[in-house]
Amino acid sequence: MLETRIYLTNRLGSLLKDYRKSQNISQKELAERTQICQSRISFLENHPENISIGQLMRWLSVLGLEIKIAVKKDEPMTTEW
């Protein structure tokens, strides 16, 4: 997975879950490595709109991912609001 664009929060949850599983990391292991309890990991994978920036940054760090912010070019505005 080189680069994935995310426009809706529900896509973030599935992306984080899929990438965690692709690395054979259990929710329990992710919880230990991020210091986010396992039940919260499960909740956030299904309700990513509730993740804090701090939690997201720890999660991404464990998975070896990063956030890239860029200006959209030639694409229609898509929001979930």
Side-chain angles (χ1 to χ4, degrees):
M1 180 183 320
L2 296 177
E3 185 175 305
T4 302
R5 292 189 175 132
I6 299 173
Y7 299 105
L8 303 172
T9 55
N10 65 341
R11 179 68 183 114
L12 175 62
S14 60
L15 177 72
L16 291 172
K17 181 178 183 176
D18 292 347
Y19 205 79
R20 172 183 61 77
K21 287 184 170 188
S22 76
Q23 293 190 18
N24 296 313
I25 298 173
S26 67
Q27 286 183 345
K28 181 181 178 187
E29 182 181 352
L30 182 63
E32 291 168 357
R33 293 172 65 182
T34 59
Q35 298 182 342
I36 303 170
C37 68
Q38 185 274 323
S39 61
R40 182 77 176 155
I41 297 287
S42 177
F43 177 78
L44 292 172
E45 286 183 344
N46 293 294
H47 304 279
E49 67 275 9
N50 293 300
I51 197 167
S52 72
I53 295 296
Q55 290 171 329
L56 179 60
M57 297 308 289
R58 292 195 310 266
W59 198 321
L60 294 174
S61 178
V62 168
L63 296 179
L65 301 172
E66 64 182 8
I67 293 176
K68 178 181 178 181
I69 298 174
V71 175
K72 291 167 93 175
K73 295 183 181 176
D74 300 326
E75 295 182 25
M77 178 66 97
T78 305
T79 68
E80 59 187 273
W81 294 275

